Amino acid sequence: MKQKKINVAIVGGGIVGSLLALILGLNGFRVSIIDRQKKENYFSNFHNVKSYALNEGSCHLLSVLEIWDIVKQKSQPITKILLQQGSSISSIQPFELEFSADLKTNDHIFNMVEEIYLKKVIREKIDKCSNIECLYSSKVIEQNIDNFTIKLVLDNGQIINSDLLVGSDGYPSLSAKEAKIKHFNYEYNQSSIVGIFKHEIQHESEAVQIFLPSGPLAILPLFGNRSSFVWTMDSNDANRIFKLSDSLFLKNLNTAFQNRRGKIEFESNRNIFPISLAFSKKLVKEKFVIIGDAAHKIHPIAGQGLNLGIRDVAALAEILILSKRLGEDIGSRLVLERYAKWRNLDILSIVFFTDFANRFFSNKNYLKKFSSGIAFKLLNNSKVIKKYLMREASGLNGNIPKLLKGEKI
Ligand SMILES: Cc1cc2nc3c(=O)[nH]c(=O)nc-3n(C[C@H](O)[C@H](O)[C@H](O)COP(=O)(O)OP(=O)(O)OC[C@H]3O[C@@H](n4cnc5c(N)ncnc54)[C@H](O)[C@@H]3O)c2cc1C
């Protein structure tokens, strides 16, 4: 049976796992990425219809990896965010909250990138790094600690011995379950329908989010005269609307969005995601660590899930690279606890903030709606709070890892 010894095995090669693999590979670690998806699905337009609002910290990390200069060519800066309350599907309340780039020293708030494009650029870089091996269509069937290494048996019979196993297999994480790490979870009974459309009227770099009673509808500008939508609502309604014909679906979407972009036309297929809240009770165990959605799954209301996962990557990479330079055992509990200590507070703050925002701003209760409308009005008049919120969203607050500042480790 084929056996090999590496430094880091990463289960789950989504954007989070792939970025970690690339940083470690470029810093002399021998890495294997194990992903259950077939290679053709991993890169298919059909399976990748999401788009991401990347914050400044995430873009800095991509710059250090020489990915940002390529991705930037097809990214779309967001210079204005408009948040509105909608009392019914087609009626917008007068309270609104506006964030514009001039509140910041930078010329934009977020950068929108398409999932498929980002994945392809990262994978092209990985393919040029001889330290990294990508195993598609592969699953771990056994995960044990054996003689001071972690031993993985794959479904094709291959055996991998590694100093450390990283679980970045999304939610729910099988690798975390195998490692007996428990998590807290809450089902919102909401689902998000996502996709990309072309439109008649220019978006002028503006992102709009309307808080409808059943959930938020976000329309986010993309490169060219295109936008991405994330339409969240009760799961029963979402499943019904998801199945409508293209023309009926677009008609409903345009009504909810007040026809602001004129005539709209699909540019992708649509996809539907159940929405839940989950976070792990622990981030590390001996020889094992979890990152990204495997460790925390949050509501898409603030577009922060991937940014949060990228912050995990930046912190973990810094800890592993520095401990390797010091000759420490990278899989030891002592080293891994540094990561848990660094990440716990940020993760919990974002988990609670996104949960609160969803409950407070999208609800059917008249009194709650009224008070959230007042909150919009108060926030809109306070430049100081708006500047603070934008600083938080940039991912640059607190004790941040070097890569997020755009510095090499
Ligand atoms: C509707 C919606 C909109 C969003 N918008 C934004 C946004 O604007 N900005 C933002 O920052 N975030 C956003 N997010 C969150 C973002 O999508 C996630 O946080 C991010 O994709 C997590 O990446 P990941 O690599 O950790 O996990 P995933 O993307 O889930 O990747 C996990 C990988 O692991 C593989 N895998 C799973 N199980 C196994 C297994 N047992 N063995 C081997 N491989 C396995 C999968 O094939 C996959 O490739 C959004 C989420 C949703 C649902």
Side-chain angles (χ1 to χ4, degrees):
M1 204 172 290
K2 203 175 149 196
Q3 284 220 29
K4 70 166 149 214
K5 174 80 176 72
I6 56 166
N7 302 118
V8 182
I10 299 179
V11 179
I15 293 174
V16 170
S18 299
L19 284 174
L20 180 72
L22 183 57
I23 301 166
L24 297 181
L26 292 173
N27 281 279
F29 288 73
R30 270 168 298 122
V31 184
S32 290
I33 307 176
I34 301 148
D35 199 289
R36 66 177 174 193
Q37 281 193 71
K38 288 184 187 158
K39 192 172 181 180
E40 58 270 29
N41 290 348
Y42 187 88
F43 293 114
S44 86
N45 288 324
F46 186 81
H47 289 91
N48 296 280
V49 296
K50 274 194 261 169
S51 301
Y52 297 115
L54 293 184
N55 66 19
E56 217 174 319
S58 299
C59 295
H60 284 164
L61 179 137
L62 296 179
S63 292
V64 178
L65 296 172
E66 295 172 6
I67 286 175
W68 182 241
D69 276 351
I70 307 168
V71 172
K72 194 168 78 180
Q73 292 166 22
K74 287 192 186 168
S75 82
Q76 170 64 50
I78 295 180
T79 58
K80 189 173 153 195
I81 301 176
L82 187 65
L83 305 180
Q84 291 187 319
Q85 284 250 313
S87 48
S88 72
I89 196 156
S90 56
S91 127
I92 306 293
Q93 284 193 350
F95 303 121
E96 56 181 40
L97 177 56
E98 188 186 310
F99 294 90
S100 59
D102 56 19
L103 280 166
K104 232 172 149 226
T105 44
N106 228 331
D107 58 352
H108 61 268
I109 307 170
F110 291 111
N111 271 295
M112 287 301 300
V113 295
E114 286 156 65
E115 176 177 36
I116 182 73
Y117 185 55
L118 183 58
K119 268 174 124 176
K120 279 183 180 164
V121 178
I122 297 171
R123 220 23 96 96
E124 274 164 24
K125 287 273 173 192
I126 285 181
D127 289 344
K128 288 185 189 143
C129 183
S130 57
N131 290 352
I132 311 172
E133 171 192 49
C134 293
L135 303 165
Y136 298 95
S137 309
S138 302
K139 274 193 218 154
V140 174
I141 52 167
E142 244 184 85
Q143 172 180 319
N144 295 312
I145 296 183
D146 187 33
N147 291 332
F148 308 108
T149 64
I150 188 139
K151 180 181 168 195
L152 304 176
V153 181
L154 307 191
D155 54 354
N156 62 4
Q158 193 177 341
I159 295 176
I160 298 178
N161 294 298
S162 171
D163 299 326
L164 173 68
L165 171 63
V166 179
S168 59
D169 44 353
Y171 174 80
S173 162
L174 206 63
S175 62
K177 192 175 169 203
E178 277 298 304
K180 302 202 169 32
I181 292 188
K182 293 194 176 131
H183 64 269
F184 169 87
N185 82 312
Y186 174 80
E187 297 302 326
Y188 284 112
N189 191 27
Q190 285 181 315
S191 296
S192 295
I193 309 175
V194 298
I196 296 173
F197 61 83
K198 288 196 270 196
H199 40 81
E200 197 180 23
I201 300 172
Q202 287 189 358
H203 50 56
E204 289 174 355
S205 312
E206 180 192 57
V208 181
Q209 179 143 262
I210 304 171
F211 294 93
L212 293 162
S214 63
L217 164 64
I219 306 281
L220 306 151
L222 291 180
F223 179 72
N225 231 12
R226 304 178 310 135
S227 289
S228 152
F229 65 89
V230 182
W231 194 4
T232 307
M233 62 191 100
D234 295 345
S235 290
N236 284 344
D237 291 339
N239 286 318
R240 183 178 50 79
I241 290 186
F242 181 70
K243 287 182 196 136
L244 293 176
S245 65
D246 280 4
S247 59
L248 264 179
F249 181 89
L250 289 172
K251 199 169 163 226
N252 275 274
L253 181 64
N254 227 349
T255 308
F257 192 53
Q258 306 269 296
N259 293 304
R260 286 175 215 214
R261 300 278 181 263
K263 193 167 172 276
I264 60 176
E265 212 177 295
F266 267 122
E267 243 235 345
S268 71
N269 63 304
R270 64 199 108 126
N271 216 335
I272 185 164
F273 297 90
I275 303 301
S276 38
L277 168 85
F279 59 92
S280 283
K281 295 185 178 168
K282 273 185 192 162
L283 294 176
V284 302
K285 274 205 147 178
E286 187 72 24
K287 310 269 173 236
F288 181 70
V289 56
I290 38 175
I291 57 174
D293 274 23
H296 40 73
K297 184 158 192 277
I298 59 172
H299 198 286
I301 192 162
Q304 288 296 314
L306 180 62
N307 289 308
L308 190 61
I310 291 179
R311 293 212 281 283
D312 296 345
V313 168
L316 183 60
E318 189 165 325
I319 286 166
L320 296 180
I321 292 167
L322 295 183
S323 61
K324 183 174 176 249
R325 281 183 200 153
L326 290 172
E328 291 176 306
D329 170 5
I330 59 161
S332 72
R333 193 78 190 245
L334 186 77
V335 169
L336 299 178
E337 283 293 350
R338 290 177 204 151
Y339 162 77
K341 210 171 151 201
W342 203 356
R343 295 301 302 138
N344 271 331
L345 184 64
D346 182 33
I347 293 173
L348 282 180
S349 321
I350 298 283
V351 162
F352 287 117
F353 169 74
T354 48
D355 183 54
F356 167 79
N358 184 49
R359 286 172 203 272
F360 192 62
F361 292 118
S362 294
N363 58 67
K364 294 166 184 144
N365 178 301
Y366 178 77
L367 257 181
K368 279 193 188 164
K369 262 204 116 38
F370 182 72
S371 42
S372 57
I374 299 292
F376 264 29
K377 197 169 166 52
L378 291 174
L379 280 176
N380 208 34
N381 291 332
S382 169
K383 255 192 170 179
V384 179
I385 300 181
K386 284 207 277 187
K387 267 191 172 173
Y388 171 78
L389 289 174
M390 278 171 65
R391 180 84 193 151
E392 279 291 313
S394 69
L396 296 177
N397 252 2
N399 174 17
I400 61 164
K402 283 187 169 186
L403 288 165
L404 299 181
K405 293 188 240 175
E407 295 167 15
K408 286 192 175 157
I409 300 168

